[in-house]
């Protein structure tokens, strides 16, 4: 439910509404825009909206969407997720670059130095890899996180890495991983969402390959309703009948989510296409559709990559891409 204050409502009137919300055991969520909007978190179905018609109140309404805190109705102002000096959802597109997986120290340090030089804002790399086959490379685990930390120290680039289950939270905190990535396969791992939502870290939530936009936003709702606001969405393509590429990069979702939600959204054209030559054109398309940036797989030697070799850019290709998207 939201309480929209009148444009010229006084602080006293707003405080009275806030106190009323607290009195009945709910948490207010205040958004100061042209008018103040006070969101009421939690299940408000048993409350009559009339309860909140007090002096200074323009309108009280129920949020029509099933995802409440994620919706623009609840929080009209754009959310900007800050990682150090970097703003995701701010004025400029942000680029996260790095290999699919952390393979060894040399691969990471060379790739990190290369993407930094080309202008990337954050560095990515999976230490824990969700692979379709149990016989494929599963990542280096903790050793991989240590290598990422070394790359961060050398380049000053914040790091993004995928967390696969709740037991890894302590480890990710120990190494101060800047953005916790929740992978596509875990988008509906609700226990994981609830646990990570309580951790005060920026989260990158990837869309499940077979999930609808509504399911995607409901998963983000799990995070927000667990207490965090630092959530970045990531469109990474969905499964369709088409077999010409790995996934179909659904850019409709980007334009639609921009209408529905205040959360920033990035696009991953690497998993979205699975084809190296399509990564640059789909990056441009993503930005044109309104994405707040892209996450791109880059490897200093893609032909020898232990996973996703066909979609990783080499450093020269990445540099060319950066020149076109970062002004
Ligand atoms: C990844 O970004 O490392 C990854 C595994 O992607 P996704 O979860 O989108 O498949
Ligand atoms: Mn990958």
């Amino acid at each position: 439910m939201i309480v929209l204050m009148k444009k010229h409502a006084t602080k006293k009137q707003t405080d009275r509404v806030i106190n009323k919300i607290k009195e009945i055991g709910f948490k207010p969520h205040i958004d100061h825009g042209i008018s103040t909007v006070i969101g009421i978190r939690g299940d408000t179905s048993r409350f009559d909206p009339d309860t909140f018609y007090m002096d200074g109140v323009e309108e009280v309404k129920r949020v029509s969407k099933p995802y409440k805190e994620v919706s623009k109705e609840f929080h009209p102002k754009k959310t900007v997720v800050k990682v150090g000096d970097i703003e995701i959802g701010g004025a400029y597109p942000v680029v996260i670059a790095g290999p699919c997986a952390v393979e060894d120290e040399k691969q990471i340090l060379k790739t990190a130095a290369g993407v930094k030089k080309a202008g990337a804002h954050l560095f990515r790399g999976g230490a824990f890899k969700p692979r379709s086959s149990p016989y494929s490379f599963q990542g280096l685990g903790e050793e991989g996180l240590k290598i990422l930390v070394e790359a961060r120290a050398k380049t000053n680039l914040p790091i993004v890495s995928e967390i696969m289950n709740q037991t890894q939270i302590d480890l990710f905190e120990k190494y101060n991983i800047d953005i916790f990535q929740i992978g596509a396969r875990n988008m509906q791992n609700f226990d994981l969402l609830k646990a990570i939502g309580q951790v005060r870290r920026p989260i990158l939530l990837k869309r499940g390959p077979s999930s609808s936009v509504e399911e995607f936003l409901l998963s983000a709702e799990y995070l927000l309703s667990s207490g965090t606001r630092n959530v970045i969405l990531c469109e990474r393509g969905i499964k369709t009948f088409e077999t010409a590429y790995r996934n179909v990069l659904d850019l409709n979702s980007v334009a639609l989510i921009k209408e529905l939600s205040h959360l920033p959204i990035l696009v991953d054209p690497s998993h979205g296409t699975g084809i190296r030559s399509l990564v640059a054109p789909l990056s441009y398309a993503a930005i044109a559709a309104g994405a707040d940036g892209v996450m791109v797989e880059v490897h200093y030697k893609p032909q020898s990559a232990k996973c996703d070799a066909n979609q990783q850019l080499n450093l020269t290709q990445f540099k060319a891409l950066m020149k076109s998207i970062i002004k």
Side-chain angles (χ1 to χ4, degrees):
M1 196 182 281
I2 55 163
V3 180
L4 176 67
M5 299 303 294
K6 287 189 172 141
K7 234 189 226 158
H8 302 294
T10 62
K11 183 171 178 318
K12 220 172 173 181
Q13 289 170 330
T14 308
D15 286 346
R16 234 180 265 141
V17 175
I18 292 169
N19 289 337
K20 175 91 186 164
I21 295 168
K22 287 183 184 161
E23 248 169 53
I24 54 173
F26 283 89
K27 233 177 143 179
H29 171 106
I30 303 133
D31 190 13
H32 296 291
I34 299 169
S35 308
T36 300
V37 180
I38 309 169
I40 308 175
R41 298 176 96 158
D43 178 14
T44 55
S45 56
R46 62 200 162 89
F47 280 103
D48 184 348
D50 285 352
T51 320
F52 300 102
Y53 273 106
M54 299 158 72
D55 284 351
V57 171
E58 175 75 35
E59 200 185 357
V60 183
K61 45 179 189 177
R62 297 201 182 277
V63 177
S64 59
K65 301 284 188 294
Y67 39 87
K68 311 286 180 199
E69 296 193 32
V70 161
S71 74
K72 261 196 181 158
E73 288 170 81
F74 192 90
H75 183 78
K77 214 160 61 187
K78 246 182 121 178
T79 291
V80 176
V81 176
K82 290 198 176 122
V83 183
D85 298 339
I86 299 155
E87 293 191 341
I88 303 167
Y92 303 101
V94 160
V95 178
I96 304 176
C100 181
V102 180
E103 297 168 8
D104 55 59
E105 194 184 29
K106 180 176 170 197
Q107 169 237 13
I108 289 299
L109 297 185
K110 279 194 171 249
T111 308
V115 301
K116 162 89 181 186
K117 199 164 164 219
H121 304 97
L122 298 103
F123 185 63
R124 63 149 285 152
F128 297 92
K129 292 303 303 175
R131 306 301 304 280
S132 300
S133 165
Y135 307 118
S136 303
F137 176 59
Q138 304 284 308
L140 298 180
E142 182 169 0
E143 189 51 37
L145 296 182
K146 283 187 194 162
I147 298 174
L148 287 173
V149 167
E150 196 187 334
R152 175 175 58 193
K154 291 220 153 79
T155 60
N156 234 351
L157 293 177
I159 47 183
V160 184
S161 202
E162 177 165 352
I163 179 160
M164 280 176 55
N165 62 63
Q166 295 93 305
T167 66
Q168 293 163 355
I169 291 177
D170 287 348
L171 206 56
F172 273 59
E173 293 213 285
K174 177 175 157 195
Y175 292 103
N176 205 8
I177 303 303
D178 299 281
I179 300 185
F180 288 23
Q181 177 174 323
I182 300 178
R185 292 157 191 82
N186 262 324
M187 187 203 87
Q188 286 192 313
N189 182 341
F190 302 118
D191 286 340
L192 180 64
L193 296 175
K194 283 190 248 180
I196 297 187
Q198 290 170 30
V199 178
R200 301 271 155 226
R201 288 283 161 178
I203 301 162
L204 181 76
L205 176 68
K206 299 192 84 177
R207 179 179 179 184
S210 306
S211 299
S212 65
V213 167
E214 185 164 301
E215 287 165 335
F216 188 20
L217 296 177
L218 279 168
S219 288
E221 185 77 12
Y222 266 92
L223 297 170
L224 268 65
S225 63
S226 303
T228 186
R229 276 286 298 285
N230 282 330
V231 175
I232 307 149
L233 303 169
C234 182
E235 170 60 60
R236 48 77 76 209
I238 53 173
K239 295 272 177 228
T240 73
F241 59 85
E242 183 56 75
T243 54
Y245 16 76
R246 189 172 176 185
N247 290 289
V248 174
L249 188 59
D250 179 14
L251 295 181
N252 294 11
S253 81
V254 175
L256 182 62
I257 286 170
K258 280 282 159 202
E259 289 182 3
L260 298 173
S261 177
H262 53 87
L263 293 175
I265 179 162
L266 301 182
V267 167
D268 170 355
S270 306
H271 293 92
T273 63
I275 301 172
R276 183 175 299 114
S277 61
L278 301 187
V279 170
L282 270 299
S283 296
Y284 310 145
I287 308 279
D292 295 294
V294 290
M295 178 159 83
V296 177
E297 284 190 342
V298 183
H299 195 295
Y300 85 107
K301 226 166 138 190
Q303 64 280 15
S304 67
K306 285 194 175 152
C307 60
D308 290 352
N310 295 335
Q311 68 191 37
Q312 305 206 52
L313 300 183
N314 64 31
L315 290 166
T316 310
Q317 290 160 338
F318 179 66
K319 202 168 142 195
L321 169 66
M322 285 302 284
K323 274 204 174 140
S324 319
I325 55 178
I326 302 293
K327 297 284 168 279

